[in-house]
Amino acid sequence: MAKVKLTVNGRAVSRDVPDTTLLSEFLREDLRLTGTHVGCDTSQCGACVVHVDGKAVKSCTMLAASASGGEVTTVEGLANGELHPMQKAFNDNHGLQCGFCTPGMIMSGVDMVNRYKQAGRELTEEAIRHELEGNICRCTGYHNIVKSIQDAATKM
Ligand code: FES
Ligand code: FES
């Protein structure tokens, strides 16, 4: 067993879990934070993206024990009284259909906007499409997802 101590969405949590527990399992099954989705468990779909210490991570690729001591933000932790600009932009621009990929798209979108702003680089449509290659959507054709991220980038 491994002792996992994390700050998740601003709340300190501590659990003893089997050594092999993935961060995605820990969030969904131990903490019941089911906004983080699992579409493949093989690091392909990006539905499980969360932020660990401020960086986007596919939570199915990381052991919960490896994240121990860190700060995790899930899609449930983004809204602060009102929707995060990225959430609002997905709503305003119809950036989702079934919604399965949406938590991962939103968490990847926030991470990419933050990274490009910190680096002083322009987040072009081409860059967004390139950055999204680790996030698969089966419904939207990506066009409105890209528009949503472009819209949010002007408001974050
Ligand atoms: S569930 Fe993690 S990448 Fe698909
Ligand atoms: S909105 Fe259905 S998978 Fe993306």
Side-chain angles (χ1 to χ4, degrees):
M1 298 290 273
K3 175 159 293 294
V4 175
K5 287 187 175 189
L6 288 171
T7 303
V8 180
N9 299 334
R11 184 170 65 100
V13 298
S14 176
R15 298 276 194 287
D16 291 315
V17 296
D19 295 346
T20 54
T21 303
L22 299 171
L23 180 57
S24 51
E25 290 177 292
F26 183 77
L27 294 170
R28 287 179 55 84
E29 291 167 29
D30 290 84
L31 304 185
R32 307 305 298 164
L33 291 170
T34 54
T36 299
H37 291 170
V38 174
C40 66
D41 244 351
T42 52
S43 187
Q44 295 176 67
C45 75
C48 65
V49 171
V50 299
H51 295 176
V52 178
D53 296 329
K55 295 198 172 101
V57 169
K58 287 180 174 174
S59 59
C60 77
T61 66
M62 186 176 212
L63 293 172
S66 303
S68 197
E71 288 201 23
V72 175
T73 305
T74 70
V75 72
E76 290 94 339
L78 275 189
N80 187 9
E82 56 187 38
L83 290 180
H84 184 282
M86 188 63 72
Q87 293 172 306
K88 181 151 186 346
F90 269 72
N91 188 35
D92 291 345
N93 293 279
H94 309 289
L96 63 145
Q97 287 184 31
C98 80
F100 192 85
C101 70
T102 311
M105 291 289 183
I106 285 176
M107 299 310 283
S108 293
V110 171
D111 174 71
M112 86 177 71
V113 171
N114 286 340
R115 275 188 291 109
Y116 275 70
K117 278 194 191 296
Q118 276 164 17
R121 292 167 63 200
E122 187 189 357
L123 185 58
T124 62
E125 177 181 344
E126 188 185 0
I128 294 171
R129 288 183 183 277
H130 176 71
E131 290 279 344
L132 283 180
E133 68 183 12
N135 291 78
I136 294 171
C137 177
R138 298 147 185 88
C139 306
T140 68
Y142 298 91
H143 185 65
N144 287 351
I145 292 173
V146 174
K147 265 175 49 186
S148 301
I149 295 172
Q150 283 178 306
D151 182 16
T154 66
K155 293 163 185 158
M156 281 171 62

